[in-house]
Amino acid sequence: MTRPAPTPFDTVLVANRGEIAVRVIRSARAHGYRTVAVYSDADADAPHVALADDAVRLGPAAAAESYLDIDAVIDAARTSGAGAIHPGYGFLAENARFARAVAEAGLVFIGPTPEAIDLMGDKAAAKRRMADAGVPLLPGYQGTDQSDETLLAEADRIGLPLMVKAAAGGGGKGMRLVTDAADLPDALAAARREATSAFGDDTLILERALLHPRHVEIQVLADTHGNVVALGERDCSVQRRHQKVVEEAPSPAIDDVTRSAMQQAAVTAAADIGYVGAGTVEFLLDVERRDGDHQAFAFLEMNTRLQVEHPVTELVTGIDLVEWQLRVARGEALAFVQDDIVLDGHAIEVRLYAEDPANGYLPQTGTIEAWLPPNGVGIRVDAGIAAGQQVTAHYDPMLAKVIAHGRDRDEARRRLAEALDRLVCLGVTTNRTFLARVLRHPVFADGGATTSFLTDHDVTTVALDPRDVAAVAGWRQLTATTDAERHSPGLAGWTNATWLVDARPLRVGGDDVPVSLQVTDTGIEVSVEGEQLLVTGTPDALRVDGRPVHLTVHRLGEDRLLVHLPRVDLDVSDPTELPPGADDAAGAGVLTAPMHGAVTAVEATVGQHLTAGSQVVVMEAMKMEHVIRADVAGTLVEVVEVGDQVGVGAVVARIEPAETDG
């Protein structure tokens, strides 16, 4: 196949936002390209906008009216004089119609051909093509008959456990695991609904589920001259809701023979479809079975774009994938062959999300009040946020990626955990400390984490340490005394500027913790739920029982503190200063929204009798679906409507509890 000569370009428009926009802009500028950012109204002051040489507004905050508006993106390229468009990941990155529109506008799409995107974006068609190419597959159904009768019959043929997937899907959306045949009809309905919302296509595929597999993917890079190489593998087994949480290269679970077989399968897949650019072929690895001389693996899907986790591959290969995307788009041939690829050390990446792991991983919104990323030997942070920035419900909740490289896996793991201890992100709840607990868990440390790791091991919660509460209370007391001394030298002890000198509760998050202080000659004696601790030092050099405590404090008003400690982030206030009615309004029969978002489904009607646990409302925010269930049995008397936008804490339904005999 003869390809047309590439169109030269010197200006690159990045059709994305957040950390990936910043990442692409930096590489493009480092290689001499002028860069153009695009933004929605919600991102007018975002870091990627300030970093680029030029920026063009796309539209309102809603992604459908901005980042997903193909015409607006093309117009932005024309307006800014861009000759090429880099889609990043997400949004339009795997949209074949967009790739065609870019080419039709006389611009260069920095990615694969529309035909490759179309083929691999349809999971059913992709699996049929891979079967023909000889790439290993799991038993499944990828047919065009989408009737419930056919899907139920095929599910019976395939057997349980079963995975239901959106054919046009990705990122864990439109996926349901079925282990009981009675749950299959509901799983089909939920997967269709989510697939329609996320992709505008409710086509489903079925495949046999492996309950304890490893998720291992191969990075491929291909040019327009027919050269394809594999750049090693990444292990992405630690996931929640089919969303990757931790990624590493190389995988601790495969041997050299399996690596070679996987790489060959990935190269075969890419070559078979005439792939161009950077892409990833994903496999499920069956850790309990071998296929001939290598461990058993099966094709999962191909991502026709740059992956979120690409930095770990860059760190172990020394190859800048964005640079090579640009070079391939200009028509250059790869400057290396397969035998040139050597993996150096180990790299691990974690995704910092605005979410609450202890509360079902619910996405969080708010203002980033403080942001201080870690640095040091072997540490890389890819971020697109800044202090003062709003985290809204309009986009994915990922804030940043933190990556560590080491001589071996354990050095990389230790470096990354310690870097997370130092990372400061206050104002929205994040999964920072959860990630550090994952890295320090003995199963992960030993390289044994499978895709069921977060189901098998509870690392979402940790008990509140009285030392941390004492440190915060002591810090506030010392700060108040220091301030009083500054204003009235020599008279600080005669002022009422001390905080919590009397016994009273301290609100930490949503819980009231009994705390009392007494200033003595030796320091501040703090009692936390009856445990006595001594705080000494200064606000900048604090000690609890003689041991140093490193904390970063951000004040919000007079009586609220956002506190970073290595193993926990705390939101601390004095409940006696809170306004009346500040507690949650939720109660028996009053259902409230746990997050900002849109109502995508209402599963009950006014007047209907509900049992406790019945689905009432389905909400979506930051591309995640959340079901709100009845907390009591009774009659539904009020409920929101599909399409309503609701804020966190808003009442979405009211149930009149059923009378019980007493």
Side-chain angles (χ1 to χ4, degrees):
M1 175 178 167
T2 302
R3 297 180 183 275
T7 303
F9 58 89
D10 58 14
T11 299
V12 178
L13 181 142
V14 182
N16 220 294
R17 65 179 298 279
E19 68 85 15
I20 189 58
V22 171
R23 159 77 185 95
V24 173
I25 289 169
R26 283 179 173 157
S27 260
R29 295 186 73 181
H31 292 90
Y33 293 97
R34 177 175 170 269
T35 58
V36 180
V38 291
Y39 63 92
S40 71
D41 289 343
D43 285 336
D45 297 320
H48 76 280
V49 176
L51 183 64
D53 298 295
D54 193 5
V56 180
R57 175 186 179 272
L58 292 178
E65 301 176 64
S66 52
Y67 296 106
L68 292 174
D69 187 333
I70 292 176
D71 291 339
V73 174
I74 299 293
D75 287 345
R78 289 195 180 105
T79 299
S80 62
I85 295 180
H86 193 301
Y89 56 73
F91 291 135
L92 297 170
E94 293 177 286
N95 186 311
R97 187 165 68 88
F98 177 57
R100 288 189 181 94
V102 171
E104 289 167 1
L107 306 171
V108 176
F109 181 73
I110 302 175
T113 64
E115 292 76 19
I117 296 173
D118 260 337
L119 177 60
M120 303 314 278
D122 182 334
K123 285 186 170 61
K127 287 180 181 293
R128 292 192 293 266
R129 181 66 173 262
M130 292 300 98
D132 291 341
V135 177
L137 295 176
L138 289 170
Y141 173 72
Q142 304 91 33
T144 57
D145 185 345
Q146 290 288 299
S147 66
D148 280 0
E149 293 78 11
T150 296
L151 292 176
L152 291 171
E154 289 294 329
D156 185 60
R157 176 185 64 81
I158 297 165
L160 298 176
L162 183 77
M163 190 67 77
V164 179
K165 294 183 178 182
K173 290 172 278 295
M175 295 178 64
R176 292 295 186 276
L177 172 66
V178 179
T179 57
D180 186 332
D183 297 333
L184 183 55
D186 286 344
L188 294 174
R192 280 194 178 110
R193 181 176 63 243
E194 199 169 301
T196 300
S197 173
F199 314 111
D201 183 346
D202 67 354
T203 304
L204 301 178
I205 65 172
L206 308 176
E207 69 181 22
R208 173 70 64 82
L210 299 178
L211 295 183
H212 304 287
R214 302 289 293 231
H215 183 127
V216 180
E217 60 191 29
I218 302 293
Q219 175 72 57
V220 295
L221 191 61
D223 61 25
T224 57
H225 305 273
N227 303 305
V228 186
V229 298
L231 304 181
E233 82 280 2
R234 296 184 290 256
D235 194 308
C236 308
S237 298
V238 180
Q239 303 178 4
R240 55 103 177 105
R241 294 175 178 171
H242 309 292
Q243 295 265 3
K244 298 166 187 173
V245 175
V246 183
E247 301 105 346
E248 57 183 309
S251 169
I254 70 173
D255 53 40
D256 290 340
V257 174
T258 303
R259 175 176 296 112
S260 178
M262 269 191 175
Q263 290 195 145
Q264 184 55 56
V267 169
T268 296
D272 183 71
I273 64 170
Y275 195 79
V276 173
T280 296
V281 184
E282 301 193 345
F283 298 96
L284 287 180
L285 176 72
D286 188 342
V287 296
E288 300 173 348
R289 190 170 62 87
R290 295 191 73 83
D291 184 3
D293 61 349
H294 60 76
Q295 295 160 286
F297 60 88
F299 174 82
L300 181 62
E301 64 182 353
M302 183 174 187
N303 296 125
T304 54
R305 54 169 168 79
L306 195 67
Q307 290 281 86
V308 175
E309 57 271 23
H310 75 274
V312 294
T313 295
E314 294 183 323
L315 289 175
V316 297
T317 62
I319 294 172
D320 183 329
L321 288 170
V322 174
E323 173 193 351
W324 273 102
Q325 285 185 299
L326 294 166
R327 293 176 69 167
V328 166
R330 295 184 69 90
E332 292 187 39
L334 297 182
F336 37 79
V337 296
Q338 191 63 59
D339 288 344
D340 295 327
I341 308 302
V342 178
L343 305 184
D344 174 26
H346 202 96
I348 307 178
E349 170 185 294
V350 292
R351 304 183 184 193
L352 183 73
Y353 281 105
E355 66 180 15
D356 186 356
N359 191 20
Y361 300 98
L362 281 178
Q364 304 291 300
T365 58
T367 302
I368 297 173
E369 301 290 349
W371 167 246
L372 184 61
N375 54 24
V377 176
I379 299 299
R380 167 176 165 177
V381 178
D382 286 9
I385 58 173
Q389 187 174 344
Q390 290 288 322
V391 178
T392 74
H394 295 290
Y395 314 117
D396 186 275
M398 192 174 75
L399 304 176
K401 303 179 309 197
V402 188
I403 314 103
H405 180 251
R407 292 169 299 174
D408 54 34
R409 184 175 187 269
D410 206 51
E411 182 174 73
R413 183 189 64 84
R414 294 193 309 269
R415 279 179 171 169
L416 186 53
E418 193 274 336
L420 287 169
D421 289 348
R422 292 184 285 117
L423 183 148
V424 177
C425 185
L426 299 173
V428 293
T429 300
T430 74
N431 64 342
R432 175 184 72 87
T433 59
F434 158 79
L435 294 171
R437 289 194 295 275
V438 170
L439 295 171
R440 291 187 169 108
H441 193 281
V443 171
F444 181 87
D446 289 343
T450 69
T451 55
S452 64
F453 173 81
L454 293 180
T455 302
D456 298 339
H457 306 283
D458 181 14
V459 290
T460 59
T461 58
V462 62
L464 187 64
D465 189 339
R467 279 174 42 86
D468 293 333
V469 178
V472 176
W475 181 93
R476 186 62 183 266
Q477 174 66 31
L478 289 168
T479 301
T481 302
T482 301
D483 290 346
E485 180 68 28
R486 185 181 303 114
H487 290 106
S488 304
L491 298 177
W494 296 95
T495 73
N496 64 354
T498 55
W499 190 60
L500 300 178
V501 172
D502 299 322
R504 68 173 76 180
L506 188 64
R507 181 156 296 179
V508 182
D511 299 323
D512 290 346
V513 181
V515 176
S516 63
L517 303 185
Q518 183 176 357
V519 179
T520 70
D521 292 340
T522 57
I524 304 169
E525 295 180 356
V526 184
S527 174
V528 180
E529 295 185 316
E531 182 172 346
Q532 303 296 321
L533 301 123
L534 181 66
V535 178
T536 56
T538 68
D540 295 327
L542 203 67
R543 290 179 177 270
V544 176
D545 285 350
R547 295 166 57 192
V549 176
H550 305 285
L551 73 171
T552 301
V553 181
H554 182 84
R555 294 178 186 253
L556 282 181
E558 291 296 319
D559 296 294
R560 185 179 171 201
L561 303 176
L562 302 178
V563 183
H564 166 277
L565 290 137
R567 304 298 173 91
V568 69
D569 291 326
L570 301 177
D571 187 334
V572 181
S573 58
D574 181 350
T576 63
E577 301 296 330
L578 295 176
D583 290 335
D584 292 338
V590 180
L591 308 183
T592 59
M595 58 189 182
H596 294 275
V599 176
T600 57
V602 175
E603 305 289 354
T605 58
V606 171
Q608 181 177 340
H609 178 76
L610 303 174
T611 58
S614 299
Q615 294 189 15
V616 182
V617 172
V618 181
M619 289 183 60
E620 184 181 275
M622 293 179 172
K623 301 183 181 180
M624 297 298 295
E625 189 176 82
H626 181 75
V627 177
I628 300 174
R629 301 178 182 272
D631 61 347
V632 295
T635 302
L636 185 66
V637 296
E638 180 184 337
V639 68
V640 291
E641 296 182 354
V642 173
D644 285 354
Q645 294 283 337
V646 296
V648 62
V651 175
V652 297
R654 296 181 191 273
I655 301 169
E656 184 177 299
E659 294 184 4
T660 58
D661 294 334

